[in-house]
Amino acid sequence: MGRSFEDNVETLDGILPALERNGARNLIGGEKSEAASKDRFLNRSPVDGSGICDVPRSSEIDVASASEAAEDAFSAWRDVSGAERRRILHSVADAIARKAEEIAVCECWDTGQPVRFMSKAALRGAENFRFFADLAPGARDGRTLPSPTLMNLTTRVPIGPVGVITPWNTPFMLSTWKIAPALAAGCTVVHKPAELSPVTAGMLAEIAWEAGVPGGVLNVVHGFGEEAGRALTADRGIRAIGFVGESRTGSEIMKQGADTLKRVHFELGGKNPVIVFEDADLDRALDAAVFMIYSLNGERCTSSSRLLIQSSIAEEFLGRLAERAKRIRVGHPLDPSTEVGPLIGDSHFEKVISYFEIARSEGARILAGGDAHSLGRPYVLPTLLAGVDPGMRIAREEIFGPVLAAIEFDSEEDAIRIANDVRYGLAGYVWTNDLTRALRVTDALEAGMIWVNSENVRHLPTPFGGVKASGIGRDGGDWSFEFYMEQKHIGFALGRHPIPRLGA
C-alpha cells in the first residue's frame, strides 16, 4: 500500500520548519553561506502561495567564489581513480534512495507537481547516479588507431570546472541528469538551480557531501538567471555550461559565453508532435497522447503538445480524448490521486491561460478545459483544442502547460510536413502498425528523439537531445562524457620513419 495524502502532509510538516528557519543556502567549497550582499528573496509554494524559505540572491561575487572553489578542488577530484568515484557516486545514489520520500514531497510543494510523478522522479535521480557511477572507471578509455608509422592512442580527460543551470520543472531529477555524469567524468561543478524551485538543489548538495563528495567538487549558487546565471555563463574559470530551459535563454547563454569560448550543451524547448495514423492501436495511442501532455502538469520539454490525427479517425478519437481530459483529477499535489496540480506560479499561469483566448480568436474549438480550475490560480483545467490550423500560434508556440492542440491530416506526406513546420525539433511520437510507414516517417521527422508506438520511455544509454531550436548536444551514456571531457591523441613512432630534413 502506498503513502496517503496524510502521510505526505506529515512528512512535509516535519521538513518545513527547518526550511523556514534556516532558508536555502549557497554551498561553496563545502561551506554553507549567504550571498555576499546578504540579499535574499522569498520562495513561495504554488500550492497555496505560502512562503517556503528565504533564498540567497547571489551575484557575480558569489559565482566567482564558487568558480574558484571548483577550480581548487578540480585537480584532486580529477585524479581520484574511476573505481573510487564509482564508490562515492553509488553512496550518493543510496542516500538519494533513502531520502526519496522527503525529496519528492519537497519537490511537490516547491513546484506543484503531483506526488505520483515526483516520487518516481526522485528515484530516477538515484538511478542517474548509479548509471554514471558504473561508467566512471571507463570514462577515460580511448581507442588504438595504428598507422604505418605510428601507434596512435586516444584518451579522454575531464574538461575542468563546469556550470550546470537547471529548470524549475522536475528540478531534482534533471539536476542529477547533468551533475552525475560531470562528477563521474572527473569534473567539478557549480550548480545554479532555477529561482522558482531551489529547495531540492540544497538537498542534493548535502546528500553528496555526506556521501563523501569532497568540498568544492559540487557547489550550489542560488539566484536569478539575469544575475547569478549570467555571471556563471561569463565566468572565465568555468569551461562549459550545461543548461536545460527555454530556447531564448539558451541563445542568451551562448552569447554570454562567447568571449570565453565556452563549450555549451543545451536541452531546450519543444512543440512535439504525436502522429496517429488510422491503422494504429487507437486505445494505446489514446493512453499515450493523454499521458504525454497532461502528466507533469504539461510542464515538460518532451510533452506531445501537438496531436496530428488522420482525418478518417479524428472525430471519434478526439471525442474520446476530450472525455478523458475532462475526467483528469486536478488537485493538491500531495494527494496520490491527483493527476494535475498547480502550475509553477502566477506568471506562468497567466501565460498558459492567455492561449485560451488566442485559440478562440484564431478560430479553434475548445473540446475540454479552456479555463482556470475552480481551485483558482495557478490551477488550470486540462485543455484540448480542436480545429487547429498548423499556422496558428497555438500550433507553433511552446505553451508549456496541460494544453493539447489537435491538427487533422489526410496523408503521410501531410503529417510529415506539418510535424516539421515548427522551429523546434526535440521529440516525436508515431503511432502506426505499418512498419515501412514507421521507417519512412521516422527518417523524415526533424527531431532528436522519436518513439514509435510508445510514450517517452527514457533509456539512459541512449542519446537525449534535440535539433533546430530544441538544443545542442546530447545527454546519456557516452554522449554525456563527450561533453564533459576532452579528447587527447598520443602518437608513438613504431620505428625510424623518414623525417624531412629541412636545412640539413
Side-chain angles (χ1 to χ4, degrees):
M1 185 175 178
R3 289 168 56 85
S4 67
F5 175 63
E6 291 74 20
D7 292 334
N8 292 327
V9 170
E10 183 178 356
T11 297
L12 181 67
D13 287 345
I15 297 170
L16 280 180
L19 281 173
E20 293 170 354
R21 183 171 61 253
N22 301 324
R25 306 284 291 280
N26 290 340
L27 183 71
I28 300 175
E31 300 290 334
K32 292 182 179 180
S33 64
E34 302 285 348
S37 64
K38 306 300 181 186
D39 288 344
R40 291 179 147 253
F41 62 93
L42 179 62
N43 175 40
R44 295 185 179 275
S45 171
V47 180
D48 60 5
S50 62
I52 299 176
C53 60
D54 288 326
V55 183
R57 185 169 179 169
S58 302
S59 68
E60 184 177 352
I61 297 172
D62 307 290
V63 170
S65 296
S67 174
E68 290 171 10
E71 183 66 54
D72 291 343
F74 172 61
S75 59
W77 182 247
R78 175 197 62 199
D79 295 339
V80 169
S81 71
E84 178 62 7
R85 283 203 302 278
R86 176 175 59 189
R87 184 194 67 78
I88 293 172
L89 297 184
H90 267 292
S91 296
V92 175
D94 292 341
I96 291 173
R98 287 193 298 270
K99 296 185 177 182
E101 291 176 354
E102 293 180 22
I103 294 167
V105 165
C106 283
E107 197 116 293
C108 293
W109 198 246
D110 206 15
T111 67
Q113 295 285 0
V115 72
R116 64 167 56 209
F117 302 120
M118 289 302 95
S119 58
K120 296 181 177 69
L123 292 173
R124 281 184 63 190
E127 288 306 309
N128 288 339
F129 266 90
R130 293 193 202 285
F131 176 80
F132 286 106
D134 287 336
L135 293 183
R140 298 183 188 181
D141 290 352
R143 301 173 64 187
T144 302
L145 301 167
S147 69
T149 58
L150 296 172
M151 176 59 70
N152 298 288
L153 305 177
T154 70
T155 185
R156 291 188 298 199
V157 294
I159 193 171
V162 300
V164 170
I165 303 175
T166 50
W168 45 257
N169 61 322
T170 62
F172 186 85
M173 190 276 289
L174 290 173
S175 297
T176 65
W177 204 337
K178 295 289 188 183
I179 291 170
L183 298 183
C187 295
T188 52
V189 176
V190 178
H191 178 204
K192 207 297 282 186
E195 57 266 28
L196 291 177
S197 57
V199 172
T200 54
M203 297 178 74
L204 176 59
E206 288 188 19
I207 286 171
W209 168 256
E210 293 169 0
V213 175
V217 172
L218 175 56
N219 307 275
V220 177
V221 178
H222 293 283
F224 292 94
E226 59 271 24
E227 297 168 354
R230 180 183 293 271
L232 184 60
T233 60
D235 188 279
R236 292 191 175 275
I238 298 297
R239 313 299 204 278
I241 291 287
F243 169 73
V244 184
E246 289 184 324
S247 300
R248 180 179 56 188
T249 307
S251 177
E252 289 300 314
I253 288 173
M254 182 172 282
K255 295 173 188 174
Q256 293 158 15
D259 288 344
T260 56
L261 297 176
K262 204 172 262 66
R263 182 182 293 183
V264 294
H265 181 288
F266 294 152
E267 200 264 276
L268 307 174
K271 192 69 175 177
N272 310 299
V274 51
I275 306 172
V276 181
F277 289 97
E278 60 188 0
D279 68 324
D281 183 331
L282 298 183
D283 291 335
R284 290 180 57 78
L286 179 64
D287 287 341
V290 170
F291 176 77
M292 282 307 302
I293 186 59
Y294 300 124
S295 61
L296 295 175
N297 298 349
E299 297 167 325
R300 66 194 300 172
C301 57
T302 55
S303 68
S304 52
S305 52
R306 288 185 296 155
L307 169 64
L308 276 56
I309 181 75
Q310 198 153 21
S311 301
S312 57
I313 57 171
E315 184 176 357
E316 180 182 355
F317 192 87
L318 292 177
R320 294 174 63 193
L321 205 159
E323 288 305 310
R324 288 281 291 275
K326 292 173 184 176
R327 291 199 297 268
I328 288 175
R329 291 181 60 101
V330 179
H332 197 292
L334 294 183
D335 186 340
S337 67
T338 291
E339 295 169 316
V340 169
L343 301 183
I344 188 66
D346 283 352
S347 62
H348 186 57
F349 168 81
E350 292 292 346
K351 173 197 169 183
V352 171
I353 64 170
S354 73
Y355 279 95
F356 302 153
E357 186 54 41
I358 292 170
R360 293 184 180 97
S361 68
E362 290 182 322
R365 305 189 312 277
I366 298 177
L367 301 187
D371 203 350
H373 191 270
S374 59
L375 290 169
R377 66 176 59 230
Y379 294 82
V380 66
L381 290 168
T383 297
L384 173 61
L385 308 174
V388 177
D389 181 89
M392 293 178 179
R393 288 180 61 189
I394 55 174
R396 307 187 69 80
E397 298 177 8
E398 186 179 37
I399 299 173
F400 217 62
V403 182
L404 178 59
I407 305 168
E408 296 185 27
F409 68 88
D410 293 320
S411 68
E412 180 181 313
E413 292 73 22
D414 287 339
I416 293 168
R417 175 182 53 80
I418 294 167
N420 289 341
D421 188 28
V422 292
R423 63 191 293 257
Y424 300 104
L426 184 57
Y429 307 87
V430 178
W431 285 86
T432 179
N433 281 321
D434 183 332
L435 176 59
T436 56
R437 170 185 281 159
L439 291 170
R440 289 192 302 270
V441 173
T442 55
D443 184 62
L445 284 181
E446 296 170 352
M449 302 171 290
I450 304 168
W451 284 267
V452 178
N453 295 336
S454 175
E455 79 284 23
N456 175 346
V457 179
R458 182 78 182 101
H459 183 48
L460 285 173
T462 61
F464 186 104
V467 299
K468 300 194 291 190
S470 287
I472 297 172
R474 296 293 183 269
D475 281 314
D478 205 54
W479 285 274
S480 292
F481 289 150
E482 286 295 312
F483 176 68
Y484 290 117
M485 306 185 83
E486 295 278 19
Q487 293 282 350
K488 182 182 288 189
H489 163 253
I490 306 141
F492 293 90
L494 295 175
R496 297 177 62 86
H497 63 272
I499 300 176
R501 302 182 68 217
L502 301 183

